[in-house]
């Protein structure tokens, strides 16, 4: 028997989340069984733990959209007992039981070997949010980052923190947008050279075009924020659209695309093919300074998860929550 955070739904449709003991034979089918070391709290996890169950597709369910750990048993030639592995995406923690348990059983195709230079705790300090931040930076690089500051929105959150640290480490000037002025020192310590208050972007004139300011953007917020940012991009610059923490709508015009050749790049971390995942994890090990990653970590255990799930949906979590499932 081992511990897991199990979410369930009663006959009235009310969901609950509690730490329970479960057994190996309850785990879903898969080729590889992993002894999980760490998982994390992402925005999607907040939805899955919270009231209504968010993205959960089957009950009872073990959420946790990512994990890192050690292979215990494997029916697949690519993995053997003792191998260190990382998992993000593939609807794990939504449609297939995830990382909020001391053991997980998944398809071998969904795993990636832990890249050298990272241990399982560091890999989960990165987690889905950081992996996505790296994909967003790589997409900007593919389209060319212009001179001048690169904007990161939702900067004090998970995606934003990692994007800020990577971009700064790559030598870019980073302008970090935050609605929490108290995080300014934290964002500066990650390498941001400019702190932009959230309202400074949201409360601009709302003209379709404003001064050409940003050489690129990683946007974790969407909504009004993304709409305003599009009109502030330099000619031919790109925005990696990652998230919707500020809303799923996009009250924008086509003008920035027509008159400034702005590129809007959609970033999806869930269905990334193996080679892309491997490349992104290798870039993370190379381009993300581990001392900055350490500064982002908020440690947690399985029993902290219900509170943390509520917190992330309110935009109250700073950096990355790393869940020690054995803690
Ligand atoms: P976090 O909650 O850690 O960060 C989001 C940040 O956005 C907050 O910290 C806050 O930053 C800002 N924010 C929150 N609410 C608002 C608001 N109403 N208006 C403006 N800014 C707001 O979440 P993550 O970083 O983990 O994820 C960010 C988004 O990216 C989510 O929507 C998530 O679902 C999505 N995502 C998408 C992935 C993909 O594959 N495309 C993968 C991973 C995440 P501050 O306090 O600094 O303003």
């Amino acid at each position: 028997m081992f511990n897991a955070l199990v979410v369930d739904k009663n006959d009235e449709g009310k969901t609950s989340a509690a730490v329970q003991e479960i057994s190996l034979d309850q785990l879903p089918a898969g080729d590889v069984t992993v002894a999980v070391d760490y998982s994390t709290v992402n925005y999607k996890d907040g939805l899955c733990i919270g009231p209504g169950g968010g993205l959960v597709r089957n009950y009872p369910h073990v959420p946790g959209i990512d994990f890192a750990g050690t292979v215990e048993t494997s029916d697949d030639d690519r993995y053997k007992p003792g191998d260190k592995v990382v998992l993000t995406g593939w609807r794990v923690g939504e449609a297939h039981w995830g990382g909020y348990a001391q053991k997980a059983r998944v398809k071998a195709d969904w795993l990636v070997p832990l890249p050298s230079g990272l241990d399982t705790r560091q890999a989960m300090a990165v987690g889905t949010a950081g992996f996505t931040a790296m994909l967003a930076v790589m997409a900007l690089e593919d389209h060319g980052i212009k001179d001048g500051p690169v904007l990161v929105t939702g900067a004090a959150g998970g995606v934003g923190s990692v994007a800020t640290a990577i971009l700064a480490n790559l030598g870019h000037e980073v302008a970090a947008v935050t609605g929490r002025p108290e995080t300014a020192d934290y964002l500066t310590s990650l390498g941001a050279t400019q702190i932009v208050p959230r309202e400074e972007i949201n409360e601009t004139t709302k003209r379709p075009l404003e001064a050409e300011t940003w050489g690129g953007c990683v946007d974790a917020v969407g909504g009004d924020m993304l709409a305003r940012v599009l009109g502030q991009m330099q000619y031919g610059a790109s925005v990696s659209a990652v998230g919707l923490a500020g809303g799923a709508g996009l009250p924008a015009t086509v003008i920035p695309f027509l008159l400034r050749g702005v590129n809007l790049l959609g970033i999806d971390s869930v269905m990334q093919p193996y080679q892309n995942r491997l490349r992104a994890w290798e870039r993370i090990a190379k381009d993300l300074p581990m001392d900055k990653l350490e500064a982002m970590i908020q440690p947690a255990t399985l029993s902290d998860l219900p509170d943390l799930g509520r917190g992330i949906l309110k935009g109250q979590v700073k950096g990355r929550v790393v869940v020690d499932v054995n803690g």
Side-chain angles (χ1 to χ4, degrees), residues 43 132 154-159 178-180 198 220-221 242-246 267 269 312:
Y43 195 85
T132 308
V159 173
T178 185
R180 290 180 277 176
R198 189 187 290 174
V221 171
V242 169
L244 42 63
I267 306 299
S269 65
I312 199 162

Side-chain angles (χ1 to χ4, degrees), residues 47-293:
L47 293 172
C48 290
I49 307 167
L55 307 163
V56 171
R57 291 286 166 267
N58 46 60
Y59 290 94
H61 192 80
V62 175
I65 66 167
D66 48 22
F67 63 77
T70 309
V71 171
E72 265 193 1
T73 60
S74 170
D75 297 333
D76 187 285
D77 290 346
R78 288 168 289 178
Y79 297 100
K80 60 178 189 322
D83 288 349
K84 303 282 182 192
V85 289
V86 182
L87 179 142
T88 60
W90 304 98
R91 309 232 176 276
V92 170
E94 301 169 50
H96 185 100
W97 286 15
Y100 291 167
Q102 292 170 320
K103 295 185 199 294
R105 194 184 289 132
V106 294
K107 284 192 180 172
D109 286 344
W110 298 340
L111 294 165
V112 172
L114 193 72
S116 62
L118 290 181
D119 60 27
T120 51
R121 179 172 167 275
Q122 290 164 328
M124 278 302 100
V126 176
T128 303
F131 171 72
T132 308
M134 188 76 242
L135 292 176
V137 171
M138 289 163 73
L140 291 184
E141 290 174 342
D142 288 347
H143 288 78
I145 298 179
K146 308 289 174 192
D147 289 340
V150 178
L151 195 70
V152 175
T153 70
V159 173
S161 293
V162 180
T164 298
I166 292 172
L167 285 162
N169 191 51
L170 290 170
H172 298 288
E173 206 183 315
V174 180
V177 184
T178 185
R180 290 180 277 176
E182 68 278 13
T183 63
D185 287 349
Y186 164 73
L187 292 168
T188 305
S189 77
L190 298 182
T193 46
Q194 195 182 337
I195 307 298
V196 182
R198 189 187 290 174
E199 57 277 9
E200 205 169 295
I201 305 278
N202 274 350
E203 292 171 12
T204 46
T205 57
K206 305 203 173 167
R207 288 193 301 251
L209 291 180
E210 295 181 64
E212 289 183 51
T213 308
W214 316 116
C217 173
V218 174
D219 173 56
V221 171
D224 283 339
M225 175 83 70
L226 175 55
R228 300 282 81 73
V229 163
L230 288 172
Q232 300 174 6
M233 300 306 295
Q234 291 179 27
Y235 190 91
S238 303
V239 178
S240 284
V242 169
L244 42 63
L250 184 56
T253 75
V254 293
I255 306 292
F257 307 112
L258 305 184
L259 299 186
R260 292 231 177 113
V262 170
N263 303 302
L264 181 57
L265 313 173
I267 306 299
D268 170 45
S269 65
V270 176
M271 305 309 252
Q272 286 292 324
Y274 178 75
Q275 287 303 333
N276 292 6
R277 279 179 284 144
L278 206 55
R279 195 152 15 103
W281 277 107
E282 281 164 3
R283 282 284 311 267
I284 287 163
K286 178 168 152 290
D287 291 329
L288 176 60
M290 288 303 127
D291 57 329
K292 290 186 179 170
L293 185 65

